[in-house]
Amino acid sequence: MPPTPRKSGTAGCVVTFLLTAASCLQIPVAETTPPAAAVEAEAPPTIFWPGRGPGELYQAGEVRAFVLRRGKIVIGHSWGRYEGADPETGEHRFATRVEISLPGREPLRSAGEIVVDARGELLRGYEQSGASRLTFERQEDQIVLTDGRQTEAMSAPPGTASMAFSAIFHEELMLGLREIRSGDLSWRLISLSGSLPVEWTAKVTVADPEHPEEARIATGLGEVIVLSRGRIASIDIEDEALQIRPVPARWPEWELEAPKRLSYEPGKDATFTRREIELPGRRGEPRLVGEVLIPAARGPRPGVVFVGGNGQQDRYGFAGPPAVDLGAHQITDALAEAGFVVLRFDERGFGGSEAATRSFDLQIEDAKRALRTLLVQPEVDPDRVVMVGHGESGWRALRVAGDDRHLAGVALLGVPGRAYQAVLNEQAEADIATLPPAMQKHAREEHKRLVDALRGVGELPPEFADQALWAREILAVDPGALVAGVTAPIFVAQGEKDFEVDPERDPAALQALGRRHKKTIKVRRYPGLDHLFKPEPGKSAPARYLDPDGPRDVDPAFLRDLVGWIDEVTGGKRPTKGRRGS
């Protein structure tokens, strides 16, 4: 059963995986087929189910429902419905709904739809989870998936199966379309939730001698499925203590709202102008694009390079899916209005920038490209340039400043001051503490196994394959060495309702590192502000970034302090004829 869609590569993404792993199915490594010598004497295979066409499996409007239990605890429900066939095209449409329960939280809900041809081959559809929507469509022997920002093509030759996360109906449809006979089965299985394809394998035997028509299907994904007349009678996953059973069918009443679309426009009273730019790179580097914000005042001005978040957002601080406004555009707009020339850019794979290997070290090179690009802009005084980094990207800003001693300052906004693993472990423990006591030990073991795998010890879950390099590189970062390498003044801003870094330990650690290495460092803490420097009247959490109660603006007092500090370290916003020294 395919796992959750891929997440962004922040500390929060790892915690998200651990929580879902505690209440959802996972993909172990597929078991190999036993050698022929181990198979009992050959006998004619038993045909448990002959396979049917998609229009023969269900009546139009028929609903199938399943309950997911861990022990006596209900952890979720999964529904499926056959919507019927199009008489003109012969296409068949199926809908799904999934609801996973998490202790102390709102249920995680997803909805989907698939359209198949008369043979049961997937043609198109979508999967929506919360505010994110993944669409897919067949193009010859490939299924092309896109979330509106990134596109991925997966090989899907005839006979390929498909399944979305926790969509038990998809699993029943997969089995119902195929002949189920005793012995070994295998076929390619692609995930409609954005995870990697797997080779689906199974060993089929009689489930119960008293019911010879029922098949026991032990899969390489760790499931034991009982199939009766083409319908799933039960699924058990021993390693997860998980049981899935059909229940009386009733289609859920809830619907998911359409995904939010984000767009940027400067404020009505904005005085700065914008110029689209491309960040020159070396051979083999991805194409990066961004824009320079040019204040109304003339003459060479102080400059700012803004490096936002975790490296997975566009120039405005729009990330996702789900669509999240991280507020970076409000920070950079305010700096331009204050008289600074600002460069902001789309991270690799976002906005207009080309997708490329996700690597923390390569993201440092991207930030250096941004700095080099700003320095040659005619409006910029190259001797008065500041780097501003938010979150883990503050470490990128420190690294760039350590390699370029001419920078006037480095501003760190909600930046870890301790080793990344310490932050990661702390986040995981906070979330694990919200789980039922019986699940906490397993969750801690899973967290340790995942961190070890990210460090190269043990096998990494396949859905983290594209983030492994980034994670291993950032786990090796030494914040003390970064601070030691900087000669410019450092400004540390910290919201006291930040849940991504510790609002006490991390700024204190940065301040201690600054003092140890005799750096000029100023620390400012902001009560009531979260990691995005937005006011948070309640408890900060990932769901709050989606602005469920309406948009929240970056705090003006924080913006004034940031502007004032940059003004201080660059010697004021007066125009100069400065030329970068040797």
Side-chain angles (χ1 to χ4, degrees):
M1 185 173 177
T4 54
R6 297 188 186 99
K7 307 289 183 181
S8 61
T10 61
C13 86
V14 179
V15 174
T16 300
F17 172 77
L18 290 169
L19 287 177
T20 55
S23 58
C24 309
L25 309 186
Q26 303 173 56
I27 295 185
V29 178
E31 297 173 355
T32 57
T33 304
V39 179
E40 297 179 0
E42 289 189 7
T46 300
I47 306 298
F48 294 102
W49 174 250
R52 296 279 191 259
E56 301 174 283
L57 293 172
Y58 308 95
Q59 297 293 319
E62 183 178 353
V63 176
R64 292 282 287 160
F66 301 86
V67 63
L68 288 72
R69 289 190 177 90
R70 177 166 282 116
K72 296 182 179 180
I73 301 174
V74 173
I75 64 170
H77 291 84
S78 183
W79 298 267
R81 182 170 65 191
Y82 175 44
E83 305 286 52
D86 185 320
E88 295 184 1
T89 65
E91 297 174 351
H92 300 266
R93 191 178 303 271
F94 299 85
T96 56
R97 297 287 187 273
V98 174
E99 182 175 86
I100 300 297
S101 302
L102 292 177
R105 303 186 181 189
E106 291 295 316
L108 297 178
R109 289 172 171 170
S110 63
E113 178 181 277
I114 59 172
V115 178
V116 304
D117 65 15
R119 300 171 300 168
E121 300 289 349
L122 179 66
L123 298 177
R124 62 186 176 276
Y126 73 87
E127 276 296 313
Q128 183 177 339
S129 177
S132 64
R133 188 181 181 99
L134 187 70
T135 62
F136 39 87
E137 182 176 16
R138 176 171 293 278
Q139 296 181 9
E140 297 181 346
D141 281 354
Q142 290 186 324
I143 296 296
V144 178
L145 301 92
T146 180
D147 58 16
R149 289 178 179 266
Q150 301 181 79
T151 299
E152 181 176 2
M154 294 191 291
S155 174
T160 299
S162 59
M163 193 185 309
F165 168 65
S166 291
I168 310 303
F169 187 57
H170 285 173
E171 192 158 20
E172 184 172 88
L173 182 61
M174 173 182 74
L175 298 172
L177 290 169
R178 290 163 171 79
E179 180 184 83
I180 305 300
R181 50 175 171 71
S182 59
D184 300 319
L185 296 179
S186 67
W187 48 72
R188 181 175 173 80
L189 175 62
I190 61 173
S191 168
L192 302 180
S193 301
S195 298
L196 298 177
V198 297
E199 184 67 15
W200 187 92
T201 62
K203 183 77 172 179
V204 184
T205 56
V206 174
D208 184 343
E210 295 185 5
H211 300 278
E213 78 285 356
E214 293 185 348
R216 179 185 187 273
I217 306 172
T219 78
L221 306 182
E223 303 162 298
V224 175
I225 304 170
V226 173
L227 191 73
S228 179
R229 298 182 176 89
R231 303 292 178 98
I232 289 177
S234 65
I235 301 178
D236 291 278
I237 305 173
E238 183 177 356
D239 288 347
E240 294 295 323
L242 188 63
Q243 305 89 40
I244 301 171
R245 300 290 185 270
V247 292
R250 181 179 179 182
W251 193 247
E253 297 179 356
W254 53 263
E255 295 287 344
L256 295 181
E257 295 182 3
K260 180 172 61 174
R261 301 290 182 185
L262 297 175
S263 61
Y264 166 82
E265 288 291 339
K268 295 180 180 179
D269 300 327
T271 60
F272 60 87
T273 58
R274 296 184 290 157
R275 181 169 64 239
E276 187 80 11
I277 56 166
E278 181 172 340
L279 282 57
R282 302 182 180 92
R283 184 186 298 274
E285 290 183 326
R287 178 176 180 268
L288 300 181
V289 297
E291 61 189 21
V292 176
L293 311 186
I294 305 165
R298 296 178 175 239
R301 315 289 299 175
V304 176
V305 175
F306 185 86
V307 190
N310 63 358
Q312 293 200 102
Q313 58 187 266
D314 67 16
R315 69 191 73 178
Y316 309 118
F318 296 162
V324 179
D325 181 358
L326 300 176
H329 60 94
Q330 293 187 337
I331 298 174
T332 49
D333 284 6
L335 295 175
E337 284 293 342
F340 305 112
V341 183
V342 181
L343 187 148
R344 58 191 182 195
F345 65 99
D346 299 332
E347 298 285 354
R348 50 177 63 200
F350 287 80
S353 290
E354 183 182 1
T357 301
R358 184 149 196 266
S359 156
F360 185 75
D361 291 345
L362 293 179
Q363 287 175 343
I364 292 172
E365 296 304 312
D366 294 346
K368 290 180 179 180
R369 286 171 65 180
L371 175 60
R372 292 195 298 266
T373 303
L374 181 68
L375 289 174
V376 298
Q377 301 305 307
E379 299 85 1
V380 173
D381 177 353
D383 287 323
R384 297 194 293 159
V385 173
V386 168
M387 295 287 295
V388 178
H390 183 215
E392 299 99 305
S393 292
W395 287 358
R396 287 199 274 163
L398 285 170
R399 174 64 182 275
V400 173
D403 291 342
D404 190 319
R405 299 302 181 93
H406 294 97
L407 285 174
V410 184
L412 306 178
L413 315 181
V415 173
R418 299 167 294 154
Y420 197 69
Q421 184 166 344
V423 178
L424 194 64
N425 290 345
E426 197 169 85
Q427 286 186 357
E429 188 57 38
D431 283 317
I432 290 170
T434 67
L435 298 174
M439 297 170 61
Q440 291 183 10
K441 179 180 178 181
H442 175 73
R444 289 188 181 95
E445 291 172 349
E446 287 297 312
H447 171 72
K448 183 180 185 304
R449 188 176 298 117
L450 177 59
V451 173
D452 287 345
L454 288 172
R455 287 190 172 279
V457 180
E459 187 163 358
L460 190 68
E463 61 271 21
F464 276 90
D466 62 344
Q467 302 177 50
L469 179 60
W470 184 92
R472 286 169 184 163
E473 290 171 345
I474 200 168
L475 283 168
V477 171
D478 177 4
L482 293 177
V483 172
V486 174
T487 58
I490 299 172
F491 176 68
V492 176
Q494 179 63 56
E496 292 193 348
K497 288 204 171 181
D498 193 333
F499 72 90
E500 297 201 40
V501 301
D502 190 291
E504 294 296 331
R505 296 181 185 180
D506 285 294
L510 287 170
Q511 189 169 40
L513 289 172
R515 289 172 177 168
R516 180 187 308 165
H517 297 290
K518 297 180 171 58
K519 308 299 177 182
T520 301
I521 187 166
K522 180 180 290 187
V523 178
R524 288 286 183 269
R525 292 179 172 84
Y526 296 91
L529 301 189
D530 66 6
H531 184 68
L532 308 180
F533 295 89
K534 296 181 178 183
E536 176 51 79
K539 182 179 180 180
S540 185
R544 293 287 296 153
Y545 288 2
L546 300 174
D547 294 332
D549 301 324
R552 297 176 294 138
D553 294 327
V554 175
D555 181 68
F558 154 72
L559 291 173
R560 285 194 298 270
D561 286 352
L562 179 61
V563 166
W565 179 82
I566 297 176
D567 199 38
E568 176 184 328
V569 298
T570 58
K573 293 182 286 293
R574 65 187 184 282
T576 68
K577 297 181 180 180
R579 183 183 301 272
R580 172 162 279 221
S582 59

